[in-house]
Amino acid sequence: MTAHIKDFIEQEFYHFHSHPELSYQEFETTKRLKEDLEKNGIKILPLDLKTGVVAEIGQGDTTVAIRSDIDALPVQENTDLPYKSTVPGVMHACGHDSHAATILGAALLLKEHEAELKGKVRVIFQPAEEAPGGAGTVIKAGGLKGVKAIFGIHSSSLFDVGTLGISAGPNHAAVEKFKIVFTGKGTHAAQPQQGNDAIIIGTNFVNAAQSIVSRNIDASHAVVVSITHFEAGTTWNVIPETVLLEGTIRTYTKEDRQIAKSRLEEIAKGIATTFNAKLDFEWLVELPATINDGPLSDFAKEVALKEGFKVEPNPKSLGGEDFSLYQEVIPGSFIMIGTGASYPNHNPNFKVDPKAIYPATQYVAKLATAYLEKN
Ligand code: NI
């Protein structure tokens, strides 16, 4: 049976990889996961989710959750894999296909040993991690109800197959996405005094915003303020009326997050006042930092070493991960699974070594089982 599970989830991984779906559009992936779970007699919880699925195995008072995300990215795949994406412009370029296969395999292994489980395992296949924020949809639907702790996994090209990255504390950064529009007054390029130049307003804002990291944040802390989109004007002889700016802030601590956000708003308001412009300011994404629980991460490490994995500290990333939303509710640990050297995540050449999947499955099943034995 165990060999059967290994082959089965590898096939499912190839299938998920060749049929990627974008955030909140994971309809076929969800359907297939539900079929796989039901075929094996695993109970699906009746949560109100359009995509994604939550199942449960075992019985008893304590419940521990294991979580996978399932969505792909708007990237045109550039690999030569026999199971490469069949969907133009969409690719599993972050390994969420391997997470789904791994957690599915863990569910099947746990189901085989259901009678011996000392509690319940909640199995979460979450939609829209890349949106980001699909974790919030699962929480709102009641996916964490009664759950005491949660483990999440992510593929990592930084580690070889057989190595796990586990660290307590901050792991992924808080992510803010902002959108700003300054409105001045359009005019002829030769008569700037008749208008209010949106490009001058926008560039002053860009320059001032860079003082947040250099002058408001403790220099020993990791913080990023990036303005990544600047749009104004249509031609050479017209001074534009509006400028659109978008960008992101990345922080690890609540305090830095607060400072950076309020300074950005103050600077935008100040620039609008200085240049007598109208300001529209919106926060489009506000996601907390992923902070791994200490005891839970130590426990994950202990189980990994016992199971013969090599464990490395996980390098901090200023990338985001909506696993943080679960961690706001219950203790959680986010574990990186070595999936072999590759191009970086989100690159069109990104690859997961399929050999990493089954050992990760065994590990996650063991981790959940051991957690229930201990708690
Ligand atoms: Ni990812």
Side-chain angles (χ1 to χ4, degrees):
M1 185 65 185
T2 303
H4 163 74
I5 290 177
K6 178 175 182 292
D7 294 342
F8 177 69
I9 60 172
E10 275 176 21
Q11 287 312 310
E12 292 306 271
F13 165 65
Y14 300 141
H15 181 89
F16 294 141
H17 191 85
S18 55
H19 300 87
E21 296 175 294
L22 294 172
S23 301
Y24 290 123
Q25 292 168 37
E26 311 94 332
F27 294 105
E28 290 305 315
T29 307
T30 298
K31 193 171 153 225
R32 194 171 176 103
L33 285 165
K34 279 185 176 167
E35 283 167 6
D36 288 344
L37 294 164
E38 275 167 349
K39 251 188 337 218
N40 287 278
I42 295 171
K43 183 175 81 187
I44 291 170
L45 299 187
L47 301 186
D48 186 18
L49 289 172
K50 285 200 181 70
T51 56
V53 53
V54 179
E56 199 166 82
I57 299 155
Q59 60 286 306
D61 296 333
T62 309
T63 305
V64 64
I66 52 178
R67 173 269 203 171
S68 157
D69 39 20
I70 60 172
D71 55 330
L73 286 158
V75 170
Q76 177 65 44
E77 180 157 358
N78 197 30
T79 74
D80 50 7
L81 293 169
Y83 52 91
K84 70 185 281 185
S85 172
T86 58
V87 185
V90 184
M91 176 190 177
H92 268 295
C94 198
H96 299 188
D97 46 358
S98 70
H99 309 165
T102 299
I103 296 298
L104 174 63
L108 300 183
L109 279 178
L110 290 161
K111 183 68 187 173
E112 279 192 348
H113 301 279
E114 188 168 25
E116 298 135 56
L117 280 179
K118 301 277 182 270
K120 289 184 284 200
V121 181
R122 182 80 49 92
V123 187
I124 298 174
F125 297 96
Q126 175 210 305
E129 192 283 320
E130 305 283 2
T137 308
V138 170
I139 295 168
K140 218 181 275 169
L144 281 193
K145 219 168 161 195
V147 178
K148 204 171 157 191
I150 183 165
F151 294 103
I153 56 161
H154 205 291
S155 60
S156 173
S157 56
L158 298 176
F159 301 125
D160 294 334
V161 173
T163 300
L164 303 181
I166 307 176
S167 290
N171 223 258
H172 284 69
V175 177
E176 327 299 330
K177 172 183 171 186
F178 55 84
K179 182 180 155 193
I180 295 169
V181 178
F182 290 108
T183 304
K185 188 178 172 198
T187 183
H188 195 292
Q191 279 130 20
Q193 78 284 3
Q194 308 246 8
N196 185 8
D197 186 346
I199 289 182
I200 299 295
I201 300 166
T203 50
N204 272 282
F205 172 76
V206 171
N207 287 329
Q210 290 312 316
S211 69
I212 297 172
V213 173
S214 68
R215 288 299 172 263
N216 301 130
I217 302 284
D218 183 327
S220 64
H221 296 189
V223 172
V224 171
V225 175
S226 288
I227 289 155
T228 51
H229 185 186
F230 187 110
E231 218 175 289
T234 50
T235 188
W236 69 282
N237 57 357
V238 175
I239 287 175
E241 181 149 308
T242 63
V243 56
L244 164 85
L245 299 119
E246 285 189 300
T248 184
I249 298 177
R250 306 296 168 105
T251 52
Y252 281 123
T253 70
K254 279 195 177 127
E255 197 198 359
D256 286 346
R257 191 179 183 206
Q258 192 43 52
I259 293 170
K261 288 178 76 173
S262 56
R263 278 300 292 146
L264 195 81
E265 286 184 28
E266 280 163 18
I267 289 168
K269 281 181 198 150
I271 293 287
T273 304
T274 302
F275 290 94
N276 194 26
K278 182 175 160 269
L279 167 69
D280 292 293
F281 192 114
E282 267 182 287
W283 294 108
L284 298 176
V285 170
E286 295 172 278
L287 195 65
T290 303
I291 312 281
N292 281 343
D293 181 70
L296 215 52
S297 303
D298 288 345
F299 183 68
K301 221 181 282 181
E302 195 186 302
V303 173
L305 292 172
K306 240 185 251 168
E307 292 299 297
F309 284 90
K310 207 172 143 198
V311 179
E312 298 277 0
N314 189 29
K316 276 185 179 180
S317 159
L318 282 154
E321 172 48 72
D322 74 5
F323 189 73
S324 59
L325 293 173
Y326 300 114
Q327 292 176 320
E328 285 201 316
V329 184
I330 52 173
S333 186
F334 195 61
I335 298 159
M336 305 306 280
I337 310 276
T339 46
S342 160
Y343 285 83
N345 295 58
H346 298 205
N347 181 289
N349 290 298
F350 174 80
K351 282 180 198 174
V352 162
D353 186 339
K355 282 201 287 293
I357 294 174
Y358 191 64
T361 277
Q362 288 178 301
Y363 168 67
V364 173
K366 184 76 202 177
L367 182 59
T369 306
Y371 177 87
L372 292 175
E373 274 161 14
K374 204 181 156 204
N375 292 273

